Amino acid sequence: MRIAGIINNERRERMHILSAEQFSPAQIEKIFKRADYFKKNSSTLPGRKKISTIHQGRQLASLFFQPSTRTRLSFETAAVKLGMGLISTENARENSSSTKGESIEDTFRILDGYGYDIIATRHFEVGAAARAAAVCETPIINAGDGKGEHPTQSLLDAYTIYKSHGRLQGLTVVFGGDLRYGRTVRSLSRILSKYKNNHLIFISIPELQVNDDIKGFLASSGTTFEETASVAAALKKADVVYWTRLQAEYLANPSTIPKGFTLNKRLIKNMKEDAIIMHPLPRVDEIDPDVDDDPRAAYFRQAANGLYVRMALLDLVLSEKL
Ligand code: CP
């Protein structure tokens, strides 16, 4: 999403990152190329020094109203590696004036006045980042909004798939876990629906199956999908398995969660050799640690890719090249 504003006496458009839906395949390719550049240069000291001057003098504000390990720390690390200054709240839900009843709009109007170059925010309400963007000239990055979206996660997920399979089309992707409330599944489904001949298989319990809005945009983009309860049969067909936590906190009766949702060595035995197992993390007990050593387990390198993809996003938004 772009908005027009007067910046340094020039009328310019700034980009907010609010939904996976906003990215075209050409933009996604641009992000991947830039992430490759940052990954390569981060592996040597001269490369790191070169990168560390790119955005010197600029500042990221990071305002998280929900807990985070990966998203917050990778955004903040990305900013520091690019030479930016960083202003961060660890727990905005408790430590900001939102506890006194200040609205999202007023909070972000204030931040907009402090002259940051970019603001990354996570909030427990769906649409919070869009509400912030509506009152800010400073580019806003949605780092997760309630049960809504997690667009930057879906870009790092897509990057991980692309690095493993060399393509984002013609893939069978199995999603398991909480598909109703899990925002990472919602955003990655949107990205995959932009490419041809992907087939999505959703596995969950009836209370946590994908919502109609996801089914609607998959149907309108021509992306085929099915819903099943048969874990073993789905895993056998998968090029990508994207596993998530069954979030018991959303269920009236958590004891209805059946056994059989934990991926373990026995369950993944018949998966394709070149398939990958992904998870946005954190995991609790839905992937047994004995899977970690399997060459198909991609979730730790997926998390590591988050740093380079977020460096690419900060860089491309700040340099207005996206
Ligand atoms: N994947 C993800 O969003 O992790 P965090 O909640 O730790 O940021």
Side-chain angles (χ1 to χ4, degrees):
M1 180 201 245
R2 288 180 193 278
I3 54 152
I6 307 296
I7 300 152
N8 298 333
N9 294 327
E10 275 176 59
R11 185 170 175 79
R12 301 230 300 266
E13 287 197 333
R14 309 305 303 264
M15 176 179 245
H16 298 296
I17 295 177
L18 302 178
S19 165
E21 188 53 36
Q22 75 189 72
F23 293 103
S24 66
Q27 286 175 309
I28 292 169
E29 194 184 331
K30 204 181 270 188
I31 294 164
F32 288 2
K33 282 206 173 122
R34 204 63 183 142
D36 283 344
Y37 170 84
F38 286 124
K39 192 171 189 173
K40 184 165 171 248
N41 279 281
S42 294
S43 64
T44 64
L45 190 56
R48 286 170 64 166
K49 283 185 177 164
K50 184 165 73 172
I51 288 168
S52 73
T53 61
I54 295 179
H55 289 295
Q56 246 170 21
R58 289 181 150 148
Q59 285 109 31
L60 168 78
S62 146
L63 198 71
F64 277 56
F65 294 82
Q66 277 188 318
S68 167
T69 298
R70 279 147 289 272
T71 312
R72 185 170 74 87
L73 293 179
S74 61
F75 262 123
E76 295 182 358
T77 304
V80 170
K81 283 181 185 283
L82 292 169
M84 298 173 69
L86 172 67
I87 295 84
S88 172
T89 60
E90 202 169 323
N91 180 354
R93 189 167 192 170
E94 285 185 12
N95 299 333
S96 76
S97 286
S98 73
T99 55
K100 303 172 203 162
E102 187 165 47
S103 68
I104 290 170
E105 284 77 7
D106 281 3
T107 300
F108 282 88
R109 272 193 191 105
I110 298 305
L111 298 190
D112 202 35
Y114 292 163
Y116 303 119
D117 296 280
I118 199 156
I119 300 171
T121 186
R122 171 175 286 188
H123 202 280
F124 47 91
E125 278 184 33
V126 176
R131 283 171 60 189
V135 295
C136 276
E137 273 188 12
T138 314
I140 299 290
I141 297 182
N142 179 5
D145 61 333
K147 302 162 198 163
E149 281 224 43
H150 197 347
T152 67
Q153 176 74 41
S154 67
L155 292 168
L156 75 90
D157 292 341
Y159 181 73
T160 304
I161 295 171
Y162 186 75
K163 293 312 259 181
S164 297
H165 286 292
R167 66 186 197 280
L168 287 176
Q169 61 185 26
L171 295 165
T172 297
V173 181
V174 171
F175 287 100
D178 180 352
L179 311 178
R180 180 169 297 265
Y181 302 112
R183 56 195 173 200
T184 64
V185 172
R186 296 171 59 76
S187 290
L188 182 56
S189 299
R190 286 187 184 276
I191 295 279
L192 291 170
S193 72
K194 296 172 188 292
Y195 296 86
K196 287 198 175 100
N197 300 325
N198 287 323
H199 180 64
L200 311 190
I201 303 179
F202 297 114
I203 310 176
S204 193
I205 57 175
E207 299 98 304
L208 297 179
Q209 271 294 2
V210 275
N211 272 321
D212 286 344
D213 66 329
I214 304 275
K215 293 179 190 170
F217 74 71
L218 290 177
S220 65
S221 68
T223 306
T224 57
F225 64 91
E226 60 188 283
E227 292 170 276
T228 179
S230 174
V231 178
L235 294 186
K236 222 169 159 178
K237 294 185 216 165
D239 298 303
V240 176
V241 172
Y242 193 94
W243 221 239
T244 65
R245 192 165 65 89
L246 277 168
Q247 303 184 94
E249 59 269 33
Y250 290 124
L251 296 176
N253 184 5
S255 66
T256 58
I257 294 183
K259 300 268 176 259
F261 264 90
T262 301
L263 291 187
N264 53 32
K265 269 204 155 86
R266 183 187 53 76
L267 208 51
I268 66 167
K269 198 173 62 185
N270 293 323
M271 280 176 56
K272 293 179 191 172
E273 241 174 62
D274 68 344
I276 55 169
I277 302 167
M278 300 176 68
H279 191 303
L281 304 178
R283 71 171 155 188
V284 183
D285 52 14
E286 61 279 2
I287 299 183
D288 194 301
D290 76 3
V291 173
D292 296 356
D293 292 336
D294 190 289
R296 292 167 293 190
Y299 29 91
F300 292 120
R301 67 173 187 270
Q302 174 189 356
N305 284 339
L307 172 65
Y308 306 110
V309 169
R310 290 181 172 123
M311 287 173 85
L313 282 169
L314 291 180
D315 176 58
L316 290 167
V317 170
L318 289 171
S319 54
E320 298 175 38
K321 287 183 180 156
L322 199 56

